[in-house]
Amino acid sequence: MASDRFPSFIASQLSYLMNHFSQAIKVEQAWCGSKNHSGVLDRFTLCIPYCLDYIKWDIIYNAEFPLSAPDVVFGPEDEHFHPFRLTSGQGGEEMNPLKSVLSNWSYKDPTRLFVLIQELRNEYILYQQKRAGAVDDDRLMFEIDTIMSREGIEILVSSGPEKPEEVKFAVPLLDMDINKMVRGCSWRHIQKIHLQAVYSVPKRYMSSPSAPRLKLVSTPELKTLFSVEDVKLPSWVSGMCMAEYLPHLEESLRGQIREAVASIDVRRCFIEALAPLFGRPLEAEPIFCRRATFLVASGVFSFMVHFSIPTQFPRQQPGLMLMSSQHFSSQHVPIKSAVRTDYPWSPRWEPSQMAERLFDFLVDEGMNFKKYCNEMQLQV
Amino acid sequence: MEDIPLQKIAISGPTLASMIQRVSSSLADSDGLLFGHVSLITSSILSDDDTTDPATSILVANVTGFICSGAPHSFSDTLARFDSAQQAPGGTHLIGWFSGRRRSRLQPSMREFAVTASISADPMLSFPVLSAASWRFSPRVFFIFSTPPAVGQGTTIHTHEYRAYQYHPARETFEPKSVSVVNIGPGFRGHYGNFSPKSPFPLLACESSGSMVMQEDMEVETLSVLAPATKDKELDLIVEDFQISDLGRLMGTEAAAYTAGLEEMYEKMLGKINTLTRQVEKSSARVIELENLNSKLRAAVAGIKKAADA
């Protein structure tokens, strides 16, 4: 419903949370729990990143009682997660950060929900570590003992009636700050690469434990610089443990990231080499140099060429898309070509030579494209 | 004897219905306390051994009454510590509490866990189990009421869901328990004794002015100012001396004189009831007025412009 909205005190706490949390939090759905104020949203489901997945918690405010702190309903699989208990120790009176945020709750303070969620998530990390520690498996015990000293590691134990018990590790890799390596980068969140390792817990007395399922996962924005899908993971030798595996992986990743950062300049040189022939670009993406658009004229026919330059440039050639500035479809959309890579190319050429060959190709191709545009327009 | 599992939780149909009514008519989420008793029912297997053996007997919690404030967090502080100022009505014990959360998942929340843990941990609140006085039970019954989270607004179908749990402090878990709704009928005769009404007549001082109360423009003083009227005392005197056997005098020679006296007494009784109801009506109206005012103030705090005000 368009008229549905958060009351101001919830809205300000929610927006502070979304803007300040170290990872991207989402509100999955929001709804109204009040009798009198229909359309006033006071409860919502938060998707909080955890262990390369999301945990979903329902946050229950009361629009009718704004002074009260919100309550939280955790996921159905976390019925044993009790972060907020009084009887810790004997007196239960000592204040932990979670208790103090709840006992000094103030609806006016926009930071409160942020602190609450952060504290709860910290408790959740400990809770999952405890669960993983209770899993009866020698290999896992060893992995946990040797690897838990790494900072930022997260574990998730998942088990269900139908699927076998699994322990997932999310291991942050590389202590390098990729954000700082890219000049003028506009990423809001810290970019990270994690190794996801999923160990299935074997039934007792099974022969040899299988290798964990391994996968690299990066923060989504990193893809414009470096795609983890292109990384070939070192193979897992039987009997290996993670503490042995990680140094090799990190070493090779470190090199690849440096290469990826260096490739920004290679792409920039390429765009710059295009300029003397094509004229100044209409538009060029300046930080990662992945896209540039030039205006090309062939006689009286002028069209735009969009270059999309892959992260693997120059090993992979750029994709070209031609777009007419004179021909439009019946929906008034400029007519454009498919992405083309059928032009002469060699990664060993100098940028200036690449640009020359491209220019020659486009001079010829301009006539064909004009013909194509005219045909398309006639069809309409 | 701490973690005795309950076999089930019994509640009378009207009590459950009125709890649901209270929860669904309150402005926002609300909670309240459950009163009743816990009894050990020994199964009818005849045995020479007369010791109560837990294997053949079942423990049943009977919910006989409740109070609901119509507001959330009404008897616990911000840290979910139970405020034990509430007194159980005579003959019953505090056996647990309930929470009504509109449009949310039917699963105990973070706060509900903490409140339940707090109530069940209070040694002052434990009470003996009926018919097995050596056993003690601390309040561990928890009811949760809700409506489904994802229904479109403006639907005409009202769905109320509830679930009952027993809390286990040692395992820190809520164990779902079946709720047996006790209604009237031959199948439930065995339960009748469990739900005998125990509410005392409210101790309200009030005036009675005989037939005068029928007048519409009658003035009723506020409860605080009202002193017991002399006629009221008069009525008490008559009632005190009254014996059922005296009704025999309605027949025979004395009848005419006695009927008049009896009628007068009835009239006074009616008057008293009438005054009481009017006072209840007026005070209820005043309570609603105050509640609405509070609600408006809270809406102002929350920054909600109330469409319903227009």
Side-chain angles (χ1 to χ4, degrees):
Chain A
M1 249 170 280
S3 61
D4 287 2
R5 66 204 155 74
F6 290 106
S8 55
F9 73 104
I10 299 178
S12 63
Q13 292 192 343
L14 194 57
S15 75
Y16 186 91
L17 170 74
M18 312 268 262
N19 292 329
H20 291 79
F21 207 74
S22 57
Q23 299 174 59
I25 281 191
K26 287 188 291 188
V27 173
E28 191 179 65
Q29 51 171 346
W31 62 96
C32 166
S34 168
K35 198 177 174 69
N36 281 354
H37 313 294
S38 63
V40 173
L41 305 174
D42 62 352
R43 35 208 67 188
F44 48 88
T45 305
L46 278 186
C47 297
I48 301 157
Y50 177 77
C51 199
L52 306 176
D53 204 343
Y54 285 101
I55 37 177
K56 291 181 184 182
W57 292 346
D58 289 351
I59 311 297
I60 313 281
Y61 277 92
N62 267 299
E64 278 282 347
F65 294 88
L67 302 186
S68 309
D71 199 356
V72 185
V73 182
F74 301 112
E77 66 287 345
D78 290 323
E79 56 169 343
H80 296 291
F81 176 47
H82 303 303
F84 175 41
R85 68 185 79 213
L86 291 164
T87 46
S88 54
Q90 287 302 306
E93 291 302 319
E94 81 269 27
M95 275 289 175
N96 62 28
L98 181 60
K99 278 187 200 165
S100 77
V101 67
L102 287 169
S103 68
N104 304 316
W105 187 261
S106 158
Y107 76 100
K108 285 182 190 155
D109 182 351
T111 65
R112 286 308 160 104
L113 181 65
F114 167 78
V115 180
L116 177 69
I117 297 297
Q118 204 166 40
E119 288 307 328
L120 285 176
R121 194 177 176 281
N122 289 345
E123 290 288 331
Y124 192 76
I125 296 173
L126 297 177
Y127 157 75
Q128 285 290 353
Q129 282 176 8
K130 218 167 141 191
R131 278 188 72 187
V135 170
D136 185 18
D137 183 74
D138 292 341
R139 175 170 68 149
L140 273 171
M141 289 298 264
F142 180 77
E143 293 283 27
I144 292 168
D145 283 349
T146 49
I147 212 166
M148 279 319 286
S149 53
R150 277 181 89 100
E151 207 175 306
I153 202 163
E154 288 174 357
I155 307 184
L156 182 72
V157 180
S158 66
S159 60
E162 257 142 63
K163 52 181 183 181
E165 195 172 23
E166 282 182 344
V167 180
K168 267 188 210 173
F169 289 80
V171 189
L173 299 173
L174 309 173
D175 42 11
M176 58 214 286
D177 186 344
I178 306 173
N179 292 41
K180 281 209 181 112
M181 294 167 73
V182 178
R183 224 182 314 137
C185 100
S186 55
W187 288 323
R188 207 171 69 185
H189 299 289
I190 303 261
Q191 299 302 311
K192 274 258 149 214
I193 300 177
H194 284 83
L195 175 70
Q196 184 183 60
V198 184
Y199 288 79
S200 50
V201 181
K203 299 264 182 312
R204 294 241 87 179
Y205 314 118
M206 271 237 316
S207 50
S208 62
S210 56
R213 298 201 302 279
L214 300 170
K215 192 179 147 195
L216 282 180
V217 182
S218 77
T219 35
E221 289 157 314
L222 192 62
K223 285 198 180 76
T224 45
L225 175 68
F226 177 70
S227 166
V228 286
E229 272 112 64
D230 300 335
V231 177
K232 197 173 173 296
L233 283 170
S235 58
W236 181 278
V237 185
S238 168
M240 207 176 195
C241 71
M242 238 189 308
E244 273 178 282
Y245 183 82
L246 290 174
H248 295 290
L249 174 63
E250 285 195 297
E251 198 45 55
S252 100
L253 261 183
R254 195 167 285 132
Q256 291 180 54
I257 295 274
R258 283 209 193 94
E259 226 169 83
V261 174
S263 78
I264 296 177
D265 288 329
V266 178
R267 289 194 290 268
R268 183 170 290 126
C269 280
F270 172 67
I271 295 176
E272 281 164 5
L274 291 170
L277 295 159
F278 289 87
R280 267 183 73 85
L282 291 181
E283 196 177 61
E285 185 260 300
I287 294 166
F288 303 103
C289 303
R290 294 283 310 273
R291 283 188 319 276
T293 301
F294 290 87
L295 189 67
V296 181
S298 154
V300 287
F301 175 54
S302 66
F303 58 97
M304 279 178 270
V305 185
H306 299 289
F307 287 81
S308 53
I309 313 170
T311 51
Q312 302 284 328
F313 182 87
R315 251 174 299 148
Q316 261 176 32
Q317 60 192 107
L320 308 185
M321 196 180 68
L322 315 187
M323 188 166 91
S324 172
S325 50
Q326 293 162 1
H327 301 79
F328 296 89
S329 74
S330 57
Q331 281 91 38
H332 309 289
V333 179
I335 294 177
K336 50 192 178 180
S337 74
V339 176
R340 309 207 28 190
T341 48
D342 54 341
Y343 53 88
W345 181 259
S346 164
R348 281 174 297 279
W349 289 340
E350 286 294 307
S352 56
Q353 198 182 355
M354 291 173 182
E356 267 165 43
R357 291 294 195 99
L358 268 167
F359 187 73
D360 293 344
F361 170 74
L362 283 170
V363 167
D364 296 342
E365 202 51 37
M367 297 315 290
N368 294 335
F369 183 55
K370 186 180 178 184
K371 212 182 288 170
Y372 168 77
C373 289
N374 286 332
E375 278 166 19
M376 290 300 284
Q377 230 170 10
L378 280 178
Q379 279 176 19
V380 173
Chain B
M1 288 299 167
E2 266 305 292
D3 260 2
I4 329 162
L6 286 172
Q7 187 73 20
K8 62 178 177 184
I9 296 163
I11 185 168
S12 75
T15 309
L16 182 63
S18 91
M19 273 162 82
I20 291 174
Q21 203 274 333
R22 282 291 282 148
V23 164
S24 67
S25 65
S26 53
L27 292 173
D29 297 343
S30 57
D31 54 16
L33 300 174
L34 298 171
F35 302 108
H37 53 259
V38 175
S39 49
L40 188 72
I41 298 170
T42 312
S43 58
S44 54
I45 303 163
L46 292 171
S47 159
D48 290 338
D49 188 11
D50 61 357
T51 53
T52 42
D53 175 15
T56 56
S57 22
I58 56 170
L59 202 62
V60 177
N62 294 287
V63 181
T64 58
F66 71 95
I67 54 166
C68 175
S69 64
H73 314 176
S74 52
F75 55 86
S76 52
D77 66 5
T78 50
L79 283 179
R81 282 175 300 213
F82 179 60
D83 163 24
S84 51
Q86 296 290 350
Q87 289 290 315
T92 65
H93 304 281
L94 178 71
I95 63 166
W97 72 293
F98 68 92
S99 170
R101 254 194 280 123
R102 221 178 246 120
R103 301 187 65 206
S104 56
R105 257 186 301 133
L106 211 55
Q107 177 191 328
S109 72
M110 174 177 81
R111 192 185 161 83
E112 284 154 8
F113 167 82
V115 171
T116 314
S118 160
I119 296 182
S120 74
D122 189 343
M124 300 291 286
L125 294 173
S126 77
F127 56 89
V129 169
L130 283 188
S131 62
S134 60
W135 292 16
R136 292 188 76 78
F137 188 88
S138 52
R140 280 180 204 162
V141 175
F142 174 62
F143 267 75
I144 176 167
F145 293 89
S146 186
T147 51
V151 261
Q153 287 195 341
T155 48
T156 45
I157 302 165
H158 293 272
T159 313
H160 299 288
E161 294 175 332
Y162 63 88
R163 199 171 281 172
Y165 299 90
Q166 181 186 11
Y167 175 67
H168 284 281
R171 276 177 278 153
E172 292 195 324
T173 50
F174 282 102
E175 202 167 288
K177 291 289 165 190
S178 65
V179 178
S180 110
V181 180
V182 178
N183 284 313
I184 293 173
F188 298 103
R189 255 168 221 160
H191 291 280
Y192 285 178
N194 288 328
F195 297 99
S196 51
K198 278 176 178 140
S199 53
F201 197 68
L203 295 168
L204 292 175
C206 58
E207 59 124 48
S208 117
S209 43
S211 54
M212 294 294 283
V213 291
M214 305 307 277
Q215 293 172 13
E216 285 296 320
D217 54 349
M218 189 199 68
E219 272 193 319
V220 179
E221 294 94 319
T222 52
L223 286 174
S224 52
V225 210
L226 204 70
T230 38
K231 283 194 175 173
D232 214 21
K233 278 186 183 157
E234 215 174 280
L235 175 66
D236 286 345
L237 282 176
I238 298 170
V239 173
E240 222 166 74
D241 292 340
F242 191 81
Q243 280 171 2
I244 285 294
S245 57
D246 289 352
L247 287 174
R249 285 156 66 194
L250 279 171
M251 289 193 291
T253 49
E254 288 177 89
Y258 186 65
T259 310
L262 208 58
E263 268 170 5
E264 196 195 343
M265 186 179 84
Y266 281 154
E267 218 163 75
K268 280 177 182 160
M269 281 176 162
L270 277 175
K272 184 170 179 171
I273 289 168
N274 205 319
T275 320
L276 270 177
T277 40
R278 267 166 203 283
Q279 279 172 356
V280 168
E281 189 191 336
K282 287 215 166 182
S283 61
S284 298
R286 181 99 184 96
V287 166
I288 286 202
E289 210 175 279
L290 282 174
E291 268 184 8
N292 286 342
L293 183 69
N294 283 339
S295 174
K296 263 184 209 165
L297 290 174
R298 286 193 303 257
V301 163
I304 303 168
K305 280 183 207 78
K306 203 166 161 186
D309 281 349

